[in-house]
Amino acid sequence: MAARCVRLARGSLPAFALSLRSSPRLLCTAAKQKNNGQNLEEDAGQNEQKTDLPSTEKTLMEEKVKLEEQLKETMEKYKRALADTENLRQRSQKLVEEAKLYGIQGFCKDLLEVADILEKATQCVPQEEIRDDNPHLKSLYEGLVMTEVQIQKVFTKHGLLRLNPLGAKFDPYEHEALFHTPVEGKEPGTVALVNKVGYKLHGRTLRPALVGVVKEA
């Protein structure tokens, strides 16, 4: 039975082909069906591509947003690092400058004691004793005065200034009050007496002046 069907099919194929050659309508119909099949396959492929395209674009957009956020975060970290570095550089530079200015602070404090002794020595010499008939005392006194003047010049050269605030307004940043007393004719809050002069090094109080301050009666 199967063999007979095969023979019939083989016999029918040449007849069908002959009928296609003899009938243009059948030929056109077959061509249209073939083209329709191809078009359906192409449409299916395009639909698949269109379906994949939005998904790809979405993935790319997500990657773009993620990279932009990473770039923004990296730039912020970079800017913060630059700011921290600049602040550190400025602080280091300030410390170096202060070290140059105030590195001699301890040495200056020691020299102030020498200046105080010279000042007391010249103040203790009675002016009436400084006479030509007493040349030894006169020469000694003049030598002390010259030494005192010279040491003050050296202090000024290195930014160390003397503070003698007699009659000035009391300043707690530059003066240290030893006592308060009413003084007639003096404005309250002013310096009436300077017990020991003070000094400032490059604008910074190195030693406050020891003073007596006028108070209201």
Side-chain angles (χ1 to χ4, degrees):
M1 184 68 179
R4 184 179 179 183
C5 290
V6 171
R7 287 197 297 272
L8 288 173
R10 289 178 179 174
S12 64
L13 285 175
F16 179 71
L18 181 61
S19 65
L20 286 176
R21 295 193 192 96
S22 61
S23 177
R25 178 178 292 180
L26 291 175
L27 184 61
C28 291
T29 302
K32 287 181 180 179
Q33 291 177 352
K34 182 178 180 182
N35 292 333
N36 289 335
Q38 292 177 352
N39 291 334
L40 289 174
E41 291 178 357
E42 291 177 357
D43 292 341
Q46 290 178 358
N47 290 332
E48 290 179 358
Q49 291 178 356
K50 289 180 180 179
T51 304
D52 294 340
L53 185 59
S55 177
T56 304
E57 289 181 352
K58 183 179 179 181
T59 303
L60 291 175
M61 289 299 296
E62 291 176 353
E63 286 293 329
K64 179 183 176 183
V65 172
K66 184 177 180 180
L67 290 174
E68 287 178 349
E69 291 178 353
Q70 290 179 353
L71 177 61
K72 183 178 179 181
E73 184 179 356
T74 302
M75 289 300 296
E76 289 178 354
K77 289 181 179 179
Y78 174 69
K79 290 178 180 179
R80 286 197 296 268
L82 283 180
D84 292 340
T85 303
E86 180 63 18
N87 291 335
L88 178 61
R89 186 191 66 80
Q90 291 179 358
R91 287 197 299 269
S92 299
Q93 184 177 0
K94 185 178 180 181
L95 289 174
V96 171
E97 291 176 354
E98 289 183 351
K100 290 179 180 179
L101 290 176
Y102 305 109
I104 59 172
Q105 182 171 310
F107 180 66
C108 289
K109 281 185 177 181
D110 293 338
L111 284 180
L112 295 184
E113 300 298 328
V114 178
D116 292 339
I117 292 172
L118 286 173
E119 184 178 7
K120 287 181 180 179
T122 55
Q123 290 175 353
C124 289
V125 177
Q127 293 297 317
E128 62 273 10
E129 295 295 329
I130 305 173
R131 302 190 304 268
D132 292 337
D133 58 351
N134 194 353
H136 297 292
L137 181 60
K138 184 178 179 181
S139 297
L140 179 61
Y141 175 78
E142 290 176 351
L144 290 174
V145 171
M146 290 174 62
T147 303
E148 185 181 5
V149 171
Q150 186 62 32
I151 199 171
Q152 290 298 328
K153 288 182 179 180
V154 173
F155 286 171
T156 303
K157 179 180 178 181
H158 292 279
L160 187 61
L161 301 179
R162 192 168 183 263
L163 296 176
N164 189 0
L166 184 62
K169 194 74 174 178
F170 176 76
D171 185 351
Y173 295 101
E174 297 182 355
H175 312 145
E176 182 179 340
L178 297 177
F179 59 88
H180 292 78
T181 182
V183 178
E184 186 178 355
K186 297 287 186 179
E187 182 182 355
T190 58
V191 176
L193 176 68
V194 179
N195 186 280
K196 181 183 286 189
V197 296
Y199 285 89
K200 294 178 71 174
L201 179 61
H202 296 292
R204 179 187 294 180
T205 301
L206 182 63
R207 187 183 74 183
L210 305 181
V211 300
V213 183
V214 179
K215 72 175 183 178
E216 294 183 0

